[in-house]
Amino acid sequence: MEERKLPVGIQSFEKIIENQNIYVDKTEYIYKLVHTDVPYFLSRPRRFGKSLLLSTLRAYWEGKKELFRGLAIERLEQEDPNAWQTYPVFYFDFNRANYQENGALNSVLKVNIEEWEKQYGKTTEDAPLGTRFGQLLRAASEQTGKRCVVLVDEYDKPLLETMENRELVENNKAVFKGFFSSLKSEDAYIRFIFITGVTKFSKVSIFSDLNQLRDISMSMDYAEICGITEQEMTDTFMPEIDALAEEQDMSRSECLIKLKKEYDGYHFHQKGEGLYNPFSLLCAYADREFGAYWFETGTPTFLVERLKKLQFDPRRFTDNSIFATKSELMDYRDDNLDIIPLLYQTGYLTVTEYDARKSAYILGFPNEEVKYGLLKSLFPVYAGNVGATTGNDILTLVKYAEDGEVEGIRKVFKALFAGIPYTTKADPFEHDFQSVFYITFTLLGQYVECEQHTYTGRIDCILRTKQFIYIFEFKRDESADAALKQIEDMHYADPYAADSRKLYKIGVNFSSETRQMTEWKVEG
C-alpha cells in the first residue's frame, strides 16, 4: 500500500493538496463564510489550524477550483455560475517576524506594501503606510473590476510578543490603528475580510474600526471550524491509529482511549463537539508515540510567572471553580489582572461545562497533555529548585515510591518545602503549602495511582504502586503524632486490610513560622 502523507507542520492548503497529503475537509465552513458580506474574526490557540484555514480561503478567492476537487465545497458550488472567480487577495502573515525590536511591525507592513505595488502599481511613497494600503485596495479593485479580499493571519503576534514592553506594545497598537483604519475608509472596495489571532485585544482599532465585525470564536455554527472532531479522526486516520496502536502494543480501543485523554477535550461552545489538537494528533501519528507535542512548542513563561505573581491557587484548575462569561472570554485587555481569559484563548483552559442559570462557562484543562505540561511548568516556580539534577524531581519521587524507599520520599518532601520562594505577603504559607502539594501529587498521578484531598491546614493523600500503599496526612502547625492519629481515627487504612501490598502510614508536620517540614513519622 502506498504510504499516506501526513501534513505535519504544513500550513498551505495548496501544498497539502498538490503533495497529496491527508486533508480533513473543512470546506463546508469555507462555503458558509464566503457567501456573506460581513468581516469575520476567529480566535483559536496556536497551532490549531488557523493558518491552514486562511490559506484555504485564499485559494478559494484566487479561484483555484482544481484544488477543491472532491471536497464538500465543489458540490456546494456546482449550481452557482459565479463561483470560482478570481479576486485580488491581500494576505497578511504576521507569523514570520520577530517583533521585539522597535520598528519591526512597520517593516513587515512596508514589505507587504512594496510586494503588492509590483502587482498593482506604485503608491504615494512618503504617505503613511495605511494610506498606501488604501491606495492599493482602490487600484486593485479598479484594475480587476472586483472588490478586494483581506486576510490577516495571527494579527496579535506583534502584541503578544511585546506584552512585557509597555512602550512597544502601545506603539504596535498605534501602528495597527493607523494602518487598518483603511479597512473602514475603503470599505466600498472590499468584498471579504477574515482576521485570525490567539487573542482578541479589546481597544485595538482593527476591531473598533470594523463596525460589522462578526466574532465567530464562540459561535455554535463555527465551533468545529479548526481542530479535529472524533468523527473526523476515525473517518480520516484509522490506518495511522492502527499503526500507533501496534507500535505501542495496544489494542485499537486502548489507543483511541489514550488519544482522547491526551489530545481531545477542546470546546469553543457549550454545545460544541470535543476537538482534538490537530498538531499533537498529527505528530503522534507521524512518530507513532504519545508526546507533549503542542505544549513543547511554546513554553508559557509569561503565563506561569503571572500565575505565581497573582498567587493563583492551582487547585482551581481541576475543581470546577473557574467561571467566566462569554464577554469575558472573547475580549482581552493587556492591563486586565484577570488571567483567565488569556489562559482560555491561548488553549491552556477550555469550556468543560456551562451553567445556564448564571450564563457562565466553567473552565478546566482540556486534556492530559495540557494539564501535566502546565503543572510541570508551574512546579519549579512554586517549589523552587526541582530540576532532575537536584534529585527533588517527580520521576525521582516516583522511583522512591515504587521501590518502597520511605527515607528517599522524606528527603524529597523536605527539600520541596525548603525550596519554596519566600514572599512578603501576609501568611502566605497556607497557599504555598496547598499549592506545592497539589502540583506534586497531581504530577505523581501521571505515573502512580494517587488520591488527594486538601483542607485548611491539612492534606491527606493515598499513593498506590504495584507493591506499596502510602497513606499520608500532612499537618500545619500541629504534630506528626496528630497526623497519624487522624489516619487512625478516619479509618483511612481500612479499605486495604486484605490488600497484599505493604502499607505505610506517614504523619508529617510543617511549621508556618520556619516554612519547613519539622516532623515525619512512619508506621508500617
Side-chain angles (χ1 to χ4, degrees):
M1 187 180 77
E2 186 179 345
E3 184 179 354
R4 287 156 51 93
K5 298 178 182 177
L6 291 164
V8 179
I10 303 176
Q11 299 175 339
S12 164
F13 173 73
E14 186 169 358
K15 187 174 180 181
I16 285 174
I17 300 302
E18 290 182 345
N19 287 357
Q20 296 184 306
N21 291 105
I22 301 169
Y23 174 68
V24 176
D25 189 356
K26 298 284 188 178
T27 59
E28 189 171 341
Y29 295 107
I30 301 292
Y31 178 81
K32 287 163 65 175
L33 291 168
V34 299
H35 286 277
T36 60
D37 284 321
V38 297
Y40 289 98
F41 172 76
L42 176 70
S43 165
R44 285 293 182 269
R46 60 186 173 79
R47 293 185 178 269
F48 219 84
K50 299 186 298 296
S51 296
L52 177 57
L53 175 68
L54 262 285
S55 176
T56 312
L57 281 165
R58 179 179 192 169
Y60 174 86
W61 287 114
E62 290 178 345
K64 296 180 177 179
K65 182 180 179 180
E66 70 283 359
L67 298 177
F68 295 87
R69 193 169 293 118
L71 299 177
I73 198 168
E74 182 186 43
R75 170 181 50 81
L76 293 167
E77 291 283 30
Q78 64 186 1
E79 302 298 329
D80 185 357
N82 296 315
W84 308 112
Q85 296 186 40
T86 302
Y87 289 78
V89 176
F90 292 83
Y91 188 99
F92 293 89
D93 182 0
F94 289 107
N95 272 307
R96 300 178 183 176
N98 180 345
Y99 298 96
Q100 301 288 349
E101 296 179 5
N102 288 321
L105 178 56
N106 286 74
S107 297
V108 169
L109 294 171
K110 188 177 179 184
V111 166
N112 277 307
I113 293 290
E114 290 171 350
E115 279 298 309
W116 293 324
E117 283 179 330
K118 295 174 185 175
Q119 188 171 357
Y120 299 113
K122 285 287 186 181
T123 60
T124 308
E125 193 167 343
D126 57 352
L129 290 174
T131 302
R132 295 172 68 182
F133 180 45
Q135 291 173 357
L136 281 167
L137 290 170
R138 267 175 276 148
S141 182
E142 289 166 0
Q143 290 172 31
T144 62
K146 300 270 178 52
R147 288 188 293 156
C148 302
V149 171
V150 179
L151 304 174
V152 183
D153 194 14
E154 302 283 16
Y155 91 93
D156 57 341
K157 190 167 184 276
L159 305 179
L160 287 172
E161 277 195 3
T162 56
M163 284 181 72
E164 296 297 276
N165 185 332
R166 171 58 50 187
E167 184 179 345
L168 193 48
V169 78
E170 291 302 325
N171 172 75
N172 287 346
K173 285 183 187 178
V175 170
F176 271 143
K177 182 172 181 62
F179 189 84
F180 284 112
S181 61
S182 55
L183 293 178
K184 184 175 182 180
S185 59
E186 306 300 336
D187 180 63
Y189 302 98
I190 298 174
R191 168 70 178 82
F192 183 82
I193 298 173
F194 200 100
I195 302 163
T196 74
V198 172
T199 57
K200 184 186 176 190
F201 281 84
S202 60
K203 300 182 181 177
V204 174
S205 74
I206 198 170
F207 304 115
S208 57
D209 285 346
L210 293 171
N211 297 328
Q212 305 299 318
L213 181 71
R214 185 181 173 199
D215 185 344
I216 58 172
S217 304
M218 298 188 75
S219 163
M220 177 63 190
D221 289 341
Y222 295 99
E224 291 90 41
I225 193 170
C226 293
I228 297 174
T229 66
E230 182 99 23
Q231 191 68 54
E232 288 169 338
M233 181 182 77
T234 53
D235 285 351
T236 310
F237 295 106
M238 198 52 77
E240 287 71 31
I241 292 168
D242 287 341
L244 173 61
E246 183 179 357
E247 184 72 25
Q248 296 298 317
D249 295 322
M250 291 177 160
S251 67
R252 176 188 284 182
S253 60
E254 288 171 335
C255 186
L256 287 169
I257 290 168
K258 177 72 170 174
L259 285 167
K260 192 172 189 67
K261 285 171 63 177
E262 288 293 327
Y263 308 127
D264 190 21
Y266 289 93
H267 293 84
F268 300 103
H269 188 272
Q270 65 269 27
K271 293 183 179 178
E273 289 187 56
L275 291 164
Y276 287 79
N277 182 312
F279 181 75
S280 287
L281 205 57
L282 291 173
C283 288
Y285 294 153
D287 291 351
R288 296 190 298 283
E289 289 183 4
F290 297 99
Y293 298 103
W294 178 81
F295 197 91
E296 289 171 357
T297 59
T299 307
T301 307
F302 166 77
L303 293 172
V304 166
E305 293 295 340
R306 178 82 77 90
L307 285 166
K308 177 61 176 173
K309 186 177 180 181
L310 293 173
Q311 291 280 291
F312 184 85
D313 184 347
R315 292 175 296 172
R316 295 183 63 203
F317 286 133
T318 51
D319 68 3
N320 293 325
S321 69
I322 301 178
F323 291 87
T325 64
K326 187 174 184 177
S327 61
E328 288 170 337
L329 293 179
M330 289 178 70
D331 284 311
Y332 177 71
R333 301 191 320 274
D334 51 339
D335 58 351
N336 187 359
L337 291 178
D338 184 5
I339 198 172
I340 298 304
L342 191 57
L343 286 167
Y344 167 77
Q345 292 180 356
T346 50
Y348 297 100
L349 294 178
T350 195
V351 174
T352 56
E353 294 181 47
Y354 182 69
D355 188 325
R357 186 176 64 84
K358 297 175 184 173
S359 296
Y361 296 93
I362 301 170
L363 305 178
F365 291 128
N367 51 49
E368 293 196 348
E369 178 189 14
V370 175
K371 172 183 173 180
Y372 292 122
L374 186 59
L375 291 178
K376 282 176 183 174
S377 294
L378 286 172
F379 195 35
V381 176
Y382 278 79
N385 188 12
V386 293
T389 57
T390 67
N392 305 328
D393 58 292
I394 291 297
L395 290 176
T396 298
L397 191 53
V398 169
K399 185 179 187 310
Y400 287 148
E402 290 178 335
D403 293 347
E405 294 187 33
V406 178
E407 177 60 17
I409 296 172
R410 183 194 71 79
K411 288 179 178 177
V412 172
F413 278 121
K414 186 172 180 64
L416 286 179
F417 277 84
I420 292 176
Y422 183 75
T423 172
T424 57
K425 290 200 173 187
D427 191 26
F429 188 74
E430 181 68 21
H431 172 265
D432 294 334
F433 178 69
Q434 301 285 6
S435 296
V436 170
F437 273 106
Y438 166 79
I439 294 171
T440 303
F441 284 115
T442 302
L443 291 176
L444 279 172
Q446 193 176 8
Y447 307 101
V448 295
E449 291 183 58
C450 181
E451 296 175 31
Q452 61 174 312
H453 305 93
T454 61
Y455 314 89
T456 302
R458 55 174 284 256
I459 298 166
D460 64 67
C461 180
I462 300 173
L463 280 185
R464 293 183 292 270
T465 70
K466 287 183 179 179
Q467 294 178 279
F468 302 96
I469 298 170
Y470 304 88
I471 301 176
F472 294 94
E473 178 73 26
F474 299 96
K475 292 286 191 182
R476 172 191 174 188
D477 298 331
E478 291 191 46
S479 68
D481 287 329
L484 288 171
K485 186 174 185 301
Q486 176 101 20
I487 293 173
E488 204 64 40
D489 292 348
M490 298 300 289
H491 303 284
Y492 290 152
D494 288 3
Y496 306 102
D499 199 299
S500 61
R501 287 173 287 186
K502 171 73 173 172
L503 187 144
Y504 290 105
K505 302 172 188 176
I506 302 174
V508 188
N509 186 60
F510 289 87
S511 166
S512 300
E513 183 179 352
T514 65
R515 300 168 62 83
Q516 301 289 325
M517 186 174 82
T518 55
E519 286 186 280
W520 170 284
K521 289 190 175 181
V522 181
E523 291 182 359

